Amino acid sequence: MPKLIVISIAAVLITLVSCKETDYSSYVYSSIVDNVPNYECYDSIFIVPRTGCNSCKDLADMIVKEKYKNKNNLVIFTDIQSKKLLYIELGKEMFVQENVIIDEKKQFWQQRFKEASYPILVIREPNSSYQIHYMLDKLSPFN
């Protein structure tokens, strides 16, 4: 009888673990839904990790410095080293805007996804679905 209980518990645990987001797109979407109450108001959501590839971060900074001024865009900085460094690099005036979020709790970043090291752009399509793109592929001035 104890073996049956152990097997039953193992089956329940496997089921619960398999229900977690298994791909990066699902993780990003659920993070947005869970942490941005009015996400439907934005046409584009920029998620910019602050660690990882320096040239990616620098290019993403250049893009969001221009895009945050449009209130239909949401900018989320995640995996930050410090707010002070962020203010120095991008200017504190950007961070008083309602459409700019500093994700200090890393709710939009997960180490288990290698994709989380790269800036992404989430675009709301006309049918209200969302498409996730690597920001630098979609908006790089070099494309």
Side-chain angles (χ1 to χ4, degrees):
M1 193 58 106
K3 282 186 179 180
L4 182 59
I5 292 172
V6 170
I7 292 172
S8 298
I9 291 172
V12 168
L13 289 175
I14 289 170
T15 303
L16 290 175
V17 169
S18 66
C19 290
K20 284 180 90 174
E21 299 91 12
T22 55
D23 68 4
Y24 185 60
S25 295
S26 298
Y27 168 74
V28 168
Y29 183 72
S30 65
S31 295
I32 291 169
V33 170
D34 293 345
N35 297 297
V36 182
N38 57 345
Y39 73 92
E40 300 98 345
C41 298
Y42 299 103
D43 295 331
S44 300
I45 301 172
F46 298 82
I47 301 177
V48 183
R50 299 305 296 167
T51 58
C53 168
N54 281 333
S55 59
C56 296
K57 179 184 69 129
D58 293 343
L59 192 52
D61 288 351
M62 190 172 75
I63 292 168
V64 297
K65 279 181 184 179
E66 176 186 325
K67 299 293 184 180
Y68 86 92
K69 295 172 186 171
N70 180 338
K71 300 303 178 195
N72 292 323
N73 295 331
L74 175 66
V75 179
I76 301 169
F77 292 97
T78 190
D79 194 25
I80 65 168
Q81 294 172 354
S82 77
K83 273 186 174 181
K84 182 178 179 179
L85 182 59
L86 197 56
Y87 294 161
I88 290 169
E89 292 177 345
L90 295 171
K92 198 169 185 175
E93 64 278 354
M94 178 187 290
F95 299 97
V96 297
Q97 306 300 316
E98 289 183 16
N99 63 324
V100 178
I101 296 173
I102 299 174
D103 173 29
E104 293 181 274
K105 296 179 182 177
K106 295 185 181 183
Q107 295 170 316
F108 297 90
W109 186 85
Q110 271 286 332
Q111 185 175 4
R112 67 186 165 114
F113 295 112
K114 67 178 180 168
E115 300 96 326
S117 298
Y118 302 98
I120 61 166
L121 172 59
V122 181
I123 300 174
R124 185 177 56 179
E125 300 294 329
N127 66 0
S128 295
S129 68
Y130 289 85
Q131 294 294 319
I132 296 174
H133 306 273
Y134 286 110
M135 184 189 314
L136 305 181
D137 288 346
K138 194 77 174 165
L139 296 174
S140 174
F142 305 112
N143 288 346

